[in-house]
């Protein structure tokens, strides 16, 4: 059984040479970049995290460990990090958003409410949605995809960690 390719759309930012209101000429620049594999998504997540804060790459290993504890714990980790370590929080949130997007392409809607970490009731409600709106089979598939995504993230982290930022500039 082969792995189905999923798409994850990434909004492209204008380059330094291109003004935000300037029309792009190429097809690739007119629409969001589509990534067709978890490996490509993981690479982009790692590069974005490295650009924000190279120290946040250590979160890759923690993500892989957290995947085993369930969707709600993985989702909630970005909330815990929001105030003290916003760059690390952003890495977790981007990874969660990527999972939600990939699973949506596969026909599985994963709840992804924006919540205030200071409002316990909102956090509780989102956790409940993750437990109740996905049946056991969908939860297992989502955790399997999350685990594979995190494995890819760890692999790319090992490739980029410690390398000079000059070689990791991403301009899709």
């Amino acid at each position: 059984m082969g792995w189905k390719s999923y798409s994850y759309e990434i909004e492209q930012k204008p380059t330094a040479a291109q003004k935000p209101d300037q029309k792009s000429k190429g097809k690739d620049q007119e629409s969001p970049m589509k990534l067709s594999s978890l490996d490509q998504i993981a690479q982009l997540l790692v590069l974005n995290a490295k650009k924000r804060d190279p120290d946040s790459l250590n979160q890759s290993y923690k993500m892989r460990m957290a995947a085993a504890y369930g969707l709600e714990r993985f989702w909630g980790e970005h909330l815990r990090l929001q105030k003290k370590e916003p760059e690390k929080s952003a890495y977790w949130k981007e990874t969660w958003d990527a999972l939600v997007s990939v699973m949506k392409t596969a026909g599985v809607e994963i709840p992804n409410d924006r919540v205030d970490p200071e409002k316990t009731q909102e956090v509780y409600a989102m956790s409940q949605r993750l437990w109740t709106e996905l049946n056991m089979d969908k939860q297992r598939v989502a955790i399997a995809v999350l685990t594979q995504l995190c494995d890819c993230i760890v692999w790319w982290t090992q490739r980029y960690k410690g390398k000079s930022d000059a070689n990791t500039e991403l301009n899709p």
Side-chain angles (χ1 to χ4, degrees), residues 127-140:
S127 296
Q128 288 302 306
R129 288 191 66 204
L130 289 168
W131 285 323
T132 60
E133 291 181 19
L134 297 173
N135 66 34
M136 190 61 71
D137 288 339
K138 288 180 181 177
Q139 286 182 31
R140 287 180 180 147

Side-chain angles (χ1 to χ4, degrees), residues 30-70:
E30 290 176 1
S31 63
M33 179 174 67
K34 287 198 176 194
L35 303 177
S36 60
S37 75
L38 292 177
D39 200 45
Q40 289 175 307
I41 294 167
Q43 182 183 29
L44 186 62
L45 289 167
V46 170
L47 288 171
N48 286 344
K50 183 175 175 78
K51 186 189 260 184
R52 266 192 311 272
D53 176 16
D55 290 337
S56 68
L57 293 183
N58 289 332
Q59 295 299 304
S60 302
Y61 307 100
K62 294 175 183 180
M63 286 182 199
R64 177 57 183 88
M65 297 285 293
Y69 291 105

Side-chain angles (χ1 to χ4, degrees), residues 1-12:
M1 177 166 112
W3 184 259
K4 182 178 178 182
S5 291
Y6 299 105
S7 293
Y8 178 62
E9 292 188 4
I10 303 297
E11 293 294 325
Q12 292 182 346

Side-chain angles (χ1 to χ4, degrees), residues 102-118:
V102 167
M103 294 306 297
K104 185 175 183 175
T105 303
V108 177
E109 293 279 337
I110 296 179
N112 193 17
D113 299 343
R114 184 178 299 256
V115 302
D116 179 347
E118 300 297 320

